[in-house]
Amino acid sequence: MTRPPLADALDLQPHPEGGWYRRTWASPVEVTLPDGRVRPTASLIHFLLPAGESSAWHRVASDEQWIAQLGSVRLELGGDGEAPGDAESYVVGLDLAAGELSQALVPAGVWQRTRATTSDALVSCLVSPGFSFDDFELIDSGSPTPS
């Protein structure tokens, strides 16, 4: 797997779902979840999806706010059932005149995947409570992915 130039410039690593990422911030303030686990109140990553690529269906146990940085990405949401259902989709990007959204919310527990459009797409994802691979599920494995 060849690291794209933008991934190299931002020091991004391969993400288990596809694409490239790096955590850029985690709140120093922590929250205790109802099950007793402790997480930062929020965390932030860069996520790069090269043109023509897509991520695997996955879900996260926290809300995710997607924020466009460069290019655009189709964000598909497949519900919160045992497997993804009929997907609603949004294009997260900076071409507001074309109907793209500069920000989009993926609620906790909702299946999601992304598809890059005709160019590389760079977004930031703000996750609250903060992201942990313990709370990440890929559709093809059905189990949390280790960090």
Side-chain angles (χ1 to χ4, degrees):
M1 178 182 327
T2 303
R3 188 156 87 164
L6 187 54
D8 195 41
L10 294 171
D11 194 27
L12 307 181
Q13 302 302 314
H15 198 293
E17 76 191 45
W20 301 81
Y21 84 107
R22 179 173 59 88
R23 181 180 270 192
T24 58
W25 174 79
S27 173
V29 178
E30 295 182 331
V31 62
T32 301
L33 303 177
D35 64 7
R37 294 178 298 150
V38 176
R39 298 276 185 272
T41 55
S43 62
L44 184 67
I45 67 166
H46 279 312
F47 180 72
L48 172 67
L49 195 61
E53 292 189 16
S54 62
S55 71
W57 281 107
H58 64 284
R59 62 181 169 183
V60 176
S62 298
D63 288 340
E64 288 185 58
Q65 185 69 44
W66 285 62
I67 306 162
Q69 301 290 318
L70 177 71
S72 60
V73 65
R74 179 167 300 282
L75 176 62
E76 297 179 352
L77 305 181
D80 60 1
E82 288 299 310
D86 292 333
E88 61 179 301
S89 67
Y90 307 94
V91 177
V92 179
L94 299 174
D95 190 350
L96 304 181
E100 294 180 355
L101 303 174
S102 62
Q103 297 182 0
L105 176 68
V106 178
V110 170
W111 290 106
Q112 61 179 294
R113 72 176 172 186
T114 53
R115 296 178 184 269
T117 56
T118 57
S119 62
D120 292 354
L122 178 68
V123 298
S124 291
C125 291
L126 179 68
V127 181
S128 181
F131 179 82
S132 169
F133 275 106
D134 292 340
D135 299 327
F136 175 80
E137 184 179 0
L138 282 171
I139 191 68
D140 49 12
S141 72
S143 61
T145 302
S147 57

